[in-house]
Amino acid sequence: MSSKRNVFIRESSGLLKQVNLLDAVMLNIGNMSAGVTLFESISPYINNYPGGVLWLASIIGLIFAFPQLLVYTYMTRKMGRTGGDYVWISRNLNGAVGSTMAIALMLESVAYFALVAFFSASSINAVLYTIGSVDNSPSLVSLSNNVFVNPYNGGLTLEQKALFYGIAAAFFIIVILLNIFRSRWGYSIVTGLGILSLSTLVIAMIVIGASVGRFGTAIVPFLNSINSSLVNVYQSSPHTPFPTNFSLLSTVLLLPLFALYTYPWMQAGPAVSAEFKQSERVAKFNLLFALLLTAILVTGGFLEMDLVAGYSFNFAAYPYFIYNFWTVAIALAGNSALQWIIGIGAIAWNFFVLAYGIIVFSRYVFALSFDRILPEKFAEVNRFGSPVYAHALDLTITLLFLLVPVFSLNAALSLYGATILGSLYFLVASVAGAIYGVKSRAKSISIAGVISALYFAFLTYEAATNPLFGFTTSSGSVNITTLVFVVGVLLVGFLVYLVSSYRNKKKGIDISLVFKEIPPE
């Protein structure tokens, strides 16, 4: 029988308290990825929901996010440890459940980050094409058509795939090495990229807002480059920000699209909560500030587009994909310097997302290792407070997942459907929060947990049945590649727990005792 003393691998985590409020907010904003949301993530699919209003769906999504916010903020204040929600899931539900879900989320997240890294070429393509078309620059258009082509269109040559792989791999290698040398550098990269990304998004909003009186003429060169008929569509469509055929149902059904990228993704700050400076203050406000800022930017961006261009025209133009918040801002900028500033911002959002992901993945690995679920080596830190081997594992798995789109774009796109694991994970986290609320007699938290769980049950159902999310096909059948991956990572997570339990039992350690104690900071 193991004693309380040797339940964990050591009595101190070794991580340094160096995360301030700004760092934590930026981690969360990267997690919620407002800039990616305003690119090609949601708006091109608006035609599937006639009468649906993007900015209104964003507001509704924000409202539904508040119960989850209450749970995550409360639990971070009460149980702020490395690994965040994994800790309270495993302590309030079951160690096997917590470990399985955390490992599944980690593997899904690394696959997602690898795909974002590879397919970030679509943002480079869009920026080059838009600036080239508006400024009549054949060289930029040629780069977009022949070198940095849109990978979503398929037909990439081996050289183009190798280029995208090389860019993505180089970024991961450099950032992970910086994280290893100094954990503080990792947070500085996230914060720096966050400030750059947010600043350019605000600049883009100002540019679009300032073009109210000249939008109809200024946007013409860009529309002609996409499809000249769009000019006629704009001239004949009513320039009102609200549809005449408004549908509340269609607007609500847009929520799962928002859930793929924005409000539910609240695990970043809590995952590093053991490293908070002024821990109570940071724990109390980091998610709230990030959620509200994300909501202002996403809601404001979509609302501004409808106010300036008109709902009906956007409804017709969004499905072309190249027409979105970012490319419209570039097309309206009016001068080359401003175009490139906005364009760099659109591209930077992808790498901002990747930079936060590198940190958060390593903290989940660290927490699982500290609990003896993963090999103890991954919980080792160097004298600069960096979990070296956890980062090395991240790099290895990411580089392997990056090979998927190189060999099969269809298989890579199928992996996007694995985001169903995210909604399932947050469902489990919400249930754990509700149970903790009951145990601690915190009625408001138990109610918030139940409401949050019901919302994520809806999102999980939508992710499983709506073909837009990739888990099922348009014919209604399950995407086999996605199914194999989702089931596979869940099985891997459970098998890791079983193997760990067996190996520790042979050492005389009852691993179930781990989940009866809160790990040290």
Side-chain angles (χ1 to χ4, degrees), residues 276-411:
F276 287 168
K277 293 192 295 186
Q278 299 177 312
S279 56
E280 178 61 19
R281 176 172 172 265
V282 179
K284 186 184 294 185
F285 295 114
N286 77 99
L287 282 171
L288 176 63
F289 289 172
L291 178 66
L292 293 178
L293 183 54
T294 298
I296 290 170
L297 295 173
V298 173
T299 306
F302 284 132
L303 174 59
E304 187 178 49
M305 286 289 287
D306 283 352
L307 286 170
V308 174
Y311 174 90
S312 297
F313 176 68
N314 287 331
F315 187 85
Y318 278 143
Y320 284 89
F321 278 83
I322 193 67
Y323 179 93
N324 57 68
F325 170 86
W326 286 102
T327 54
V328 166
I330 293 171
L332 297 173
N335 70 77
S336 181
L338 200 52
Q339 288 173 339
W340 281 107
I341 289 172
I342 296 171
I344 289 170
I347 297 168
W349 269 97
N350 292 278
F351 295 98
F352 177 26
V353 170
L354 301 178
Y356 104 79
I358 287 170
I359 292 176
V360 172
F361 175 88
S362 69
R363 271 42 178 192
Y364 277 103
V365 172
F366 181 95
L368 286 159
S369 301
F370 209 81
D371 281 353
R372 302 180 184 273
I373 301 300
L374 292 178
E376 297 173 13
K377 197 74 175 175
F378 294 126
E380 289 187 13
V381 297
N382 62 18
R383 62 193 181 95
F384 301 113
S386 178
V388 178
Y389 297 102
H391 281 307
L393 178 66
D394 182 10
L395 180 60
T396 302
I397 296 175
T398 300
L399 293 181
L400 289 174
F401 273 121
L402 266 172
L403 291 172
V404 175
V406 172
F407 289 103
S408 173
L409 287 174
N410 288 333

Side-chain angles (χ1 to χ4, degrees), residues 27-40:
L27 276 173
N28 291 320
I29 289 176
N31 198 7
M32 297 180 197
S33 59
V36 177
T37 302
L38 290 169
F39 185 53
E40 295 178 352

Side-chain angles (χ1 to χ4, degrees), residues 499-510:
V499 170
S500 174
S501 179
Y502 173 74
R503 289 179 68 250
N504 280 285
K505 189 174 183 179
K506 289 182 66 176
K507 298 177 184 177
I509 300 173
D510 181 2

